[in-house]
Amino acid sequence: MPQSRPIAARGAFLAKIAAAGALALAFDLVFFDRGFGATLGGFALAWCLLAAACIPALRRGVPLMALAIAGAMALVLVNAPGPIAWCLFWIALASAALLPRHRFDDAARWATRLASQLVFAVPAPLHDAARAQAGRSGRAPLPMSLIVLPLAGGAVFLLLFALANPLIGAALEAIQPPAIDRLVGHAVTLAAIATLAWATLRPRSLRWVGSGRARPLDLALPLATLTVSLAVFNLVFAIQNALDLLFLWSGAPLPAGVTLAGYAHQGAYTLILVALLAAAFVTGALRPGSAAAASPAIRRLVLLWLAQTLLLVASSILRLLDYVDAYMLTTLRLAALVWMALVACGVGLIAWQWLARRSLGWLVNANALAALLVLAASTLVDYGELAAGWTVRHATRADQVDLAYLHDLGPSALAPLLVLERRAGPRLRPQVIALRDRAVATLACRQADWHRWTWRGARRLAAARAAIGRDAPPAPLGRDCGN
């Protein structure tokens, strides 16, 4: 009976070794020197199942909720694999592994723990192996001769038999060892995935992180300094916002030599940096509950400044939308719009923190939740398809569409190309059809390779072939197929 627990512990340890090895081997066999497709989601689901099987604490309570989120992100990877979805999957899975050891306090401290998991992932297997060897119930360590002698002796005898037996010699000569670069690549892949898997199966305790809540930087500036600074900041912001209201929002004619597109593009991104600096100043120098926060004058100036900052962000969004109207929507501009909306949300949360006298921990958690929700939503949409669809729908004439950009988007532009094909005239239609056929062929090539097959690609290809009908180009053969 006294030895039942050590035996169970050793069994759990060996099960984790087997799980990490199986994950590493599966990743190497399926993904090495191949593309990623829905198989990445299947691999992520298998990782979740093995983690739940090896760690009983993950099968109940809050860790189970985090594991379920990791499973949901694995399904997103089945639909359309991408770096954002993979990062969110790993964050959820690593959080599930940490939650039995640590109670969630705030997003900033939790992000530190997750980053530390990656830092300590490399030495962790070596440390655990040393502890396992030292805890072999007093037994002597395995001698090196147990490994070296059988391998060396067997190799010597095999070579001698090869010289004496032509059949064995011919068999050995027929063996073609892989190139050294591929051997190194396989070894690095196996080691990296096994190490990453081990970090979720045996997470570090990381007690050095501490248990206190995050605190803002308190600059302890005099009230007079803060009051004058906020008054000046409000005045400068008022000048910028007044100009935006005059020329950007009201539509008044700009001065000679200044175009609306140029006015919109010049400050769209710079003003977001200004808004971030304003938010950082309020968060770092004006802590709720401090003497400065208790001053009615400072509170009014801060809220006025935050309101002006929100107007500044709204003007930045309008600037970018005007620039898109003048030119076109791209994936980067669409991502910039999402980022600007997230900044506006952050400024609004800071204002609510001040009005409701919430803590910094609340503000950090609220912003982290907003960022995670935006990232999770981004994994479900194709920004390339949205940009191409907007460009096709908002073009006054079909010949105004940038066909080169639609070509660069590849299969993401397939559905918009079908719409453009119906609108194009006799001169433009052959070019659009050529782009459409190339996009279909590229997508069919990817879907024909089971390593790169995705659910989104299957739906997109089926819809395109149904719309094209009998003229749909056949799927190319081979992995490379001229992409």
Side-chain angles (χ1 to χ4, degrees):
M1 289 299 294
Q3 292 185 348
S4 60
R5 184 167 182 175
I7 293 175
R10 287 197 298 271
F13 185 78
L14 293 176
K16 292 176 181 179
I17 293 177
L23 288 171
L25 184 60
F27 190 93
D28 182 76
L29 291 175
V30 176
F31 300 110
F32 184 81
D33 201 22
R34 298 181 176 93
F36 294 102
T39 47
L40 186 61
F43 175 79
L45 283 173
W47 195 342
C48 292
L49 293 175
L50 286 175
C54 294
I55 308 176
L58 299 188
R59 301 196 289 268
R60 57 182 179 271
V62 179
L64 179 59
M65 296 174 58
L67 188 64
I69 295 175
M73 295 314 303
L75 294 178
V76 173
L77 289 169
V78 171
N79 178 58
I84 295 179
W86 175 260
C87 290
L88 292 178
F89 160 76
W90 189 88
I91 289 173
L93 183 60
S95 296
L98 283 174
L99 281 169
R101 296 168 174 257
H102 297 279
R103 178 179 175 273
F104 180 84
D105 35 24
D106 61 66
R109 197 169 295 276
W110 198 257
T112 304
R113 291 194 177 98
L114 292 177
S116 301
Q117 282 293 93
L118 292 176
V119 172
F120 291 115
V122 176
L126 301 177
H127 179 263
D128 288 337
R131 289 185 58 186
Q133 184 69 17
R136 287 172 54 84
S137 301
R139 289 178 291 176
L142 293 175
M144 289 296 296
S145 59
L146 185 63
I147 301 175
V148 175
L149 183 59
L151 291 179
V156 169
F157 287 127
L158 186 61
L159 290 176
L160 293 175
F161 285 140
L163 294 175
N165 190 324
L167 296 179
I168 297 178
L172 290 179
E173 291 179 357
I175 297 176
Q176 296 293 330
I180 187 64
D181 57 339
R182 293 187 62 83
L183 283 177
V184 172
H186 282 290
V188 171
T189 301
L190 288 169
I193 299 302
T195 300
L196 198 60
W198 194 253
T200 59
L201 296 174
R202 282 184 62 85
R204 304 296 96 182
S205 294
L206 306 177
R207 299 299 178 187
W208 60 270
V209 172
S211 58
R213 293 268 181 176
R215 295 182 179 179
L217 176 63
D218 191 356
L219 299 180
L221 296 175
L223 295 182
T225 301
L226 289 174
T227 303
V228 174
S229 299
L230 290 171
V232 172
F233 296 162
N234 273 293
L235 178 61
V236 175
F237 272 53
I239 295 173
Q240 174 63 43
N241 284 324
L243 291 174
D244 282 343
L245 289 173
L246 177 61
F247 296 112
L248 197 63
W249 293 89
S250 67
L254 289 163
V258 180
T259 64
L260 180 60
Y263 183 83
H265 182 259
Q266 187 170 350
Y269 301 104
T270 306
L271 294 181
I272 288 297
L273 176 60
V274 174
L276 290 173
L277 290 175
F281 182 85
V282 172
T283 304
L286 297 165
R287 177 169 53 90
S290 63
S295 171
I298 289 182
R299 285 185 62 83
R300 285 193 291 268
L301 287 172
V302 167
L303 293 176
L304 176 61
W305 194 25
L306 290 174
Q308 290 208 81
T309 303
L310 279 174
L311 179 58
L312 199 69
V313 176
S315 297
S316 299
I317 295 175
L318 184 60
R319 283 169 181 264
L320 188 55
L321 290 176
D322 287 341
Y323 190 76
V324 167
D325 284 334
Y327 295 95
M328 61 181 292
L329 182 65
T330 64
T331 54
L332 290 179
R333 291 166 191 164
L334 183 58
L337 286 171
V338 174
W339 163 246
M340 290 177 180
L342 191 59
V343 171
C345 177
V347 175
L349 289 172
I350 293 175
W352 179 253
Q353 178 206 17
W354 265 78
L355 290 172
R357 291 180 170 83
R358 298 282 186 173
S359 65
L360 178 66
W362 178 90
L363 179 63
V364 170
N365 291 339
N367 277 280
L369 179 61
L372 289 175
L373 290 176
V374 169
L375 290 175
S378 297
T379 63
L380 300 176
V381 298
D382 186 344
Y383 279 17
E385 184 174 1
L386 292 178
W390 189 96
T391 300
V392 171
R393 288 193 306 271
H394 289 78
T396 306
R397 303 190 311 273
D399 57 1
Q400 292 178 337
V401 178
D402 188 348
L403 295 182
Y405 183 67
L406 297 186
H407 172 268
D408 292 339
L409 291 175
S412 295
L414 186 52
L417 280 172
L418 294 172
V419 176
L420 182 62
E421 180 186 347
R422 294 191 292 268
R423 292 179 51 191
R427 183 181 63 85
L428 189 64
R429 185 172 290 111
Q431 301 179 48
V432 177
I433 292 176
L435 287 180
R436 178 208 70 186
D437 289 347
R438 181 173 180 83
V440 171
T442 300
L443 183 58
C445 168
R446 296 178 185 175
Q447 293 299 109
D449 182 4
W450 67 273
H451 298 96
R452 297 188 292 173
W453 184 94
T454 65
W455 187 28
R456 175 188 288 172
R459 299 196 310 270
R460 181 175 285 165
L461 185 60
R465 285 177 168 168
I468 298 172
R470 296 181 179 179
D471 296 330
L477 298 177
R479 282 186 53 205
D480 297 327
C481 52
N483 280 14

